[in-house]
C-alpha cells in the first residue's frame, strides 16, 4: 500500500512555483497577486484564508485579504467584486465560502470575472473544463489529478466511482476522470445520497473518490482489494481525549480500508494541502495569461 502524500507533493509544487516566481523577479516582471474575500467571522474560513496568505508569502506571491463584516449586503459584496475585477494589479481572487444567508452565493460567484476566477467556479470555466478546453480547474479536483499524475496511478480503462455530486468536487471529478488523456480515460460512476446499493457499486471500483463529508462512511467491506482510495472528506469529530477537543476525520475508515488499498490518501495530509497548492498554480496561470494578453 502506498500513501498518496499530499503534504510532500504540495511542498514540491510550492517549490516549483517559487522557482518560477524567482525567475519573474530576476527578469523584472510583475509577480502573481492573489486576493481573498472573506465575509464574516467563520473560524474555519479564517483559518483557511490565513493558510492561503501564508502560502502566497512562501512562494513569493503578493496577497491581499479583504475582510467584510457579517452584515455586509449582497450589493456591497458585488461592488467589491467589481472593484477587484477592474484592478489590473490583482491576477486572481477567491470568495471564501460559506457566505452569510443574506447573500446569494450563486450570484456572487457569477460576478467574478472568468479570467480571475482561480477557484474555477464560474460557469464559463466549468463549461470549458467539461469541453476539455484550457481553463482553471477547481483547486481540489486539480489537486487530485496532480496526485494521481505524480504517483503514476494508472487510470486508463479503470472503473472510477465518485461519491458525492457537489459542484466543487464530485461533479468536476466525474468529468475529469472520464476525459481523454492522463489522468483520465476511466469509466465513471457518479453516486450520491439517492444511489441504491452503493456497496455493490463501490466494491466493483478500481478507484474511489469520496467527497461526501460523512466521517468513516467508506468501510473495508465496501472496497475491493488493491483499490485506489482518494478521501476528500474532512470533518471535525468531537473527541474528549484529543488536545483540541476534536479530531479531523475523512470519509474513509482509514485504519481498515488502508489494509486493502493499493494507494490511499490520509486525512489530514492528503487532498487538503493539494487544494492550496493548486490554487497557487491557478494564480500563476492567471498571471501568465494576463501577461500574454497585455503584450
Amino acid at each position: 500500500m502506498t500513501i498518496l502524500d499530499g503534504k510532500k507533493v504540495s511542498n514540491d509544487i510550492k517549490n516549483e512555483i517559487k522557482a518560477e516566481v524567482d525567475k519573474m523577479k530576476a527578469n523584472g516582471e510583475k509577480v502573481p497577486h492573489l486576493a481573498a474575500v472573506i465575509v464574516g467571522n467563520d473560524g474555519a474560513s479564517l483559518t483557511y484564508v490565513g493558510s492561503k496568505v501564508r502560502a502566497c508569502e512562501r512562494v513569493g506571491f503578493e496577497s491581499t485579504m479583504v475582510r467584510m463584516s457579517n452584515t455586509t449586503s449582497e450589493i456591497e459584496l458585488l461592488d467589491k467584486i467589481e472593484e477587484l475585477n477592474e484592478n489590473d494589479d490583482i491576477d486572481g481572487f477567491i470568495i471564501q465560502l460559506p457566505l452569510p444567508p443574506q447573500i446569494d452565493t450563486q450570484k456572487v460567484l457569477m460576478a467574478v470575472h472568468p479570467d480571475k476566477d482561480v477557484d474555477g467556479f464560474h460557469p464559463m470555466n466549468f463549461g470549458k473544463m467539461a469541453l476539455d478546453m484550457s481553463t482553471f480547474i477547481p483547486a481540489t479536483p486539480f489537486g487530485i489529478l496532480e496526485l494521481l499524475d505524480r504517483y503514476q496511478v494508472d487510470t486508463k480503462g479503470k472503473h472510477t466511482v465518485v461519491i458525492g455530486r457537489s459542484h466543487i468536487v464530485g461533479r468536476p471529478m466525474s468529468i475529469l476522470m472520464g476525459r481523454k488523456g492522463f489522468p483520465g480515460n476511466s469509466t465513471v460512476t457518479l453516486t450520491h445520497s439517492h444511489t441504491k446499493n452503493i456497496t455493490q457499486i463501490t466494491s466493483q471500483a478500481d478507484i474511489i473518490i469520496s467527497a461526501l463529508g460523512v466521517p468513516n462512511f467508506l468501510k473495508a467491506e465496501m472496497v475491493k482489494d488493491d483499490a485506489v482510495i482518494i478521501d476528500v472528506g474532512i470533518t471535525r469529530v468531537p473527541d474528549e481525549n484529543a488536545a483540541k477537543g476534536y479530531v479531523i476525520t475523512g470519509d474513509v475508515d482509514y485504519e481498515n480500508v488502508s489494509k486493502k488499498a493499493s494507494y490511499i490518501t490520509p486525512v489530514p495530509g492528503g487532498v487538503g494541502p493539494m487544494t492550496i497548492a493548486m490554487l497557487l498554480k491557478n494564480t500563476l496561470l492567471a498571471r501568465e495569461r494576463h501577461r500574454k494578453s497585455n503584450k
Side-chain angles (χ1 to χ4, degrees):
M1 189 270 294
T2 302
I3 289 175
L4 298 170
D5 188 344
K7 215 168 179 180
K8 180 197 174 296
V9 174
S10 71
N11 275 328
D12 291 346
I13 291 165
K14 285 174 189 167
N15 289 338
E16 290 160 16
I17 292 171
K18 187 177 185 308
E20 287 286 321
V21 174
D22 287 345
K23 270 190 223 162
M24 287 178 174
K25 285 179 180 170
N27 294 335
E29 293 172 26
K30 178 191 174 306
V31 300
H33 186 165
L34 174 68
V37 179
I38 183 161
V39 185
N41 296 304
D42 180 73
S45 291
L46 285 166
T47 302
Y48 194 45
V49 170
S51 60
K52 288 171 181 172
V53 169
R54 285 193 299 278
C56 283
E57 284 170 11
R58 182 183 153 181
V59 298
F61 284 10
E62 286 182 30
S63 67
T64 300
M65 195 199 289
V66 179
R67 289 196 60 176
M68 303 181 80
S69 79
N70 212 34
T71 56
T72 299
S73 71
E74 193 177 278
I75 299 267
E76 286 170 322
L77 180 54
L78 291 170
D79 284 346
K80 179 54 72 177
I81 289 170
E82 192 50 39
E83 197 183 299
L84 293 169
N85 282 337
E86 290 176 4
N87 184 342
D88 289 340
D89 190 51
I90 289 173
D91 296 294
F93 66 96
I94 58 155
I95 312 295
Q96 185 63 39
L97 304 178
L99 293 168
Q102 72 272 19
I103 296 172
D104 180 341
T105 300
Q106 198 58 51
K107 194 188 273 189
V108 163
L109 295 179
M110 287 277 287
V112 177
H113 195 289
D115 289 349
K116 293 193 174 190
D117 167 42
V118 286
D119 258 336
F121 293 164
H122 193 282
M124 189 183 283
N125 287 327
F126 196 97
K128 282 183 172 179
M129 178 199 72
L131 293 169
D132 255 349
M133 294 165 73
S134 173
T135 189
F136 298 121
I137 296 172
T140 301
F142 197 7
I144 294 168
L145 293 180
E146 197 70 18
L147 272 178
L148 294 170
D149 184 13
R150 297 208 180 205
Y151 279 89
Q152 289 295 294
V153 177
D154 188 18
T155 60
K156 186 179 176 183
K158 303 295 183 184
H159 181 198
T160 295
V161 171
V162 179
I163 307 174
R165 55 181 166 183
S166 76
H167 296 166
I168 295 171
V169 183
R171 202 166 299 183
M173 234 29 257
S174 69
I175 294 167
L176 292 163
M177 291 301 287
R179 68 181 182 170
K180 286 182 180 176
F182 175 73
N185 278 325
S186 67
T187 302
V188 183
T189 303
L190 178 61
T191 66
H192 45 77
S193 55
H194 293 277
T195 302
K196 292 176 181 173
N197 306 324
I198 195 162
T199 299
Q200 197 180 334
I201 296 167
T202 56
S203 59
Q204 294 170 9
D206 302 305
I207 301 166
I208 299 174
I209 300 167
S210 186
L212 200 61
V214 178
N216 298 314
F217 172 81
L218 194 73
K219 308 286 189 209
E221 60 270 19
M222 298 170 74
V223 173
K224 74 175 184 181
D225 287 339
D226 292 330
V228 176
I229 309 294
I230 308 288
D231 188 353
V232 187
I234 183 156
T235 309
R236 290 183 178 189
V237 178
D239 185 342
E240 290 173 6
N241 300 320
K244 292 179 178 175
Y246 65 85
V247 288
I248 299 288
T249 307
D251 286 357
V252 178
D253 174 6
Y254 185 88
E255 193 180 335
N256 296 305
V257 172
S258 60
K259 291 169 187 165
K260 294 177 83 172
S262 56
Y263 294 89
I264 192 166
T265 59
V267 175
V271 174
M274 293 299 296
T275 299
I276 291 180
M278 302 324 281
L279 180 68
L280 296 175
K281 188 139 185 175
N282 273 345
T283 307
L284 185 66
L285 289 171
R287 170 85 292 269
E288 197 56 31
R289 280 193 200 168
H290 295 152
R291 189 177 64 79
K292 283 177 181 166
S293 66
N294 288 336
K295 273 187 173 178

